[in-house]
Amino acid sequence: MNPRSARDLVLGPVVLSATANVIMELSWPGVGHGVAESRVDSGNVMLHPLHRFRTTNAYLAVALLGTDAERADYRRAVGRSHAHVHATADSPVDYDAFDPELQRWVALCLYRAFEDTWGLLAGEPGLRLPDAVYRECAVLGTTLQVRPEQWPADRAAFDDAWDDGLAHVRIDDAVRAYFHRLLRGDFLPDPVRRATEPTRTFLTTGFLHEPFRALLGLEWSAADQERFAAWMRRLGTVVHRLPAPVRRAPYSTALADLRVRRTLGLALV
């Protein structure tokens, strides 16, 4: 089962891949240290998890469901935050949040989240999306600083770009410690964290691609993979029966919130 357009990929269960996706994104040193050292406290998931949840979901929603004008406004809003995210004299690696190569890697990881989730919900793990749908997903990067010509031309070119990206993966002690805080759910209230930890760890490990599981010492067996795929397939039978606004939540609600904020002149990020 293939989607008709990139808009069809916007399904609520994509949010289940969020922690895995962040780990893959931040495994590039420039991205990892940019987040771990960020001086923009409002975007720090450890300090303001709800704010981070809203703004990340709003970005994904506006990229795939929004208008050109909404994407332009969100680009400017994110740019004001990113202006403060750059290496200092004490940073172990050089980075700048406006670096289009770093942003392209993040966008490639985001594409994986949407493609992986679609395939799992459809009962076809590892499904490769059609080139036409894949090309529409360039907005995951071009909504920020990635230029259209930087997006791999087709789905086969994506595989080459992904493999090249994996060659740049490095997880040092500082970023590894940050990852384990994410895996533990340190940003959650203690009762919620303890109650959800087994499920969160299982889902995150399931959505991670290699070599990330191995680099973090996360065990995953063939039986685990079968259970994960079956769980997602059952979820898919429910999700695809829901009305569009419901099956797209929380992305649909994030886009609605963004539109209210634009109308009222409130901060988007």
Side-chain angles (χ1 to χ4, degrees):
M1 179 173 67
N2 284 321
R4 294 164 297 178
S5 74
R7 295 173 65 87
D8 292 341
L9 301 175
V10 184
L11 299 170
V14 174
V15 78
L16 300 175
S17 70
T19 299
N21 208 258
V22 168
I23 287 171
M24 292 191 292
E25 293 171 16
L26 272 57
S27 293
W28 266 32
V31 183
H33 282 276
V35 171
E37 301 173 17
S38 175
R39 297 174 291 283
V40 184
D41 285 348
S42 63
N44 188 327
V45 69
M46 299 299 173
L47 300 175
H48 303 287
L50 293 179
H51 182 274
R52 184 68 185 188
F53 183 78
R54 175 181 69 80
T55 55
T56 299
N57 289 341
Y59 176 77
L60 296 175
V62 77
L64 291 175
L65 300 174
T67 66
D68 289 342
E70 289 166 345
R71 283 191 282 269
D73 282 352
Y74 211 74
R75 181 186 299 114
R76 284 190 288 269
V78 172
R80 286 191 287 272
S81 295
H82 278 181
H84 303 283
V85 181
H86 52 79
T88 68
D90 296 324
S91 301
V93 298
D94 189 34
Y95 63 85
D96 189 305
F98 287 109
D99 185 335
E101 282 301 315
L102 297 183
Q103 290 192 6
R104 188 181 83 140
W105 171 247
V106 170
L108 295 178
C109 291
L110 293 173
Y111 174 78
R112 288 236 81 124
F114 284 100
E115 183 179 73
D116 288 349
T117 304
W118 179 273
L120 286 161
L121 293 175
E124 300 180 54
L127 175 74
R128 298 296 189 256
L129 296 178
D131 282 347
V133 174
Y134 161 77
R135 281 191 286 267
E136 289 181 30
C137 292
V139 291
L140 293 170
T142 59
T143 297
L144 292 182
Q145 273 72 45
V146 178
R147 297 184 298 277
E149 63 271 20
Q150 287 182 288
W151 188 249
D154 54 31
R155 186 56 185 74
F158 172 90
D159 282 337
D160 292 338
W162 181 258
D163 290 343
D164 180 68
L166 292 181
H168 293 81
V169 166
R170 301 286 186 277
I171 302 177
D172 62 20
D173 289 343
V175 173
R176 188 186 307 276
Y178 185 82
F179 287 168
H180 283 292
R181 293 186 69 193
L182 287 175
L183 288 166
R184 287 195 306 267
D186 286 359
F187 51 90
L188 296 169
D190 277 350
V192 176
R193 179 182 57 77
R194 288 194 296 269
T196 61
E197 186 169 8
T199 300
R200 285 187 294 102
T201 300
F202 177 73
L203 290 173
T204 296
T205 309
F207 275 108
L208 280 172
H209 283 251
E210 289 294 2
F212 303 101
R213 290 176 191 147
L215 288 170
L216 292 175
L218 297 172
E219 296 183 359
W220 191 254
S221 66
D224 290 329
Q225 181 61 36
E226 184 176 341
R227 183 160 65 98
F228 173 64
W231 191 90
M232 291 294 295
R233 183 173 63 251
R234 288 194 296 270
L235 180 60
T237 63
V238 175
V239 169
H240 284 295
R241 293 192 177 103
L242 298 173
V246 178
R247 69 173 176 265
R248 288 175 173 167
Y251 304 105
S252 53
T253 51
L255 185 59
D257 175 75
L258 181 147
R259 286 171 172 165
V260 170
R261 287 172 177 275
R262 285 183 79 234
T263 299
L264 299 178
L266 301 177
L268 302 184
V269 175

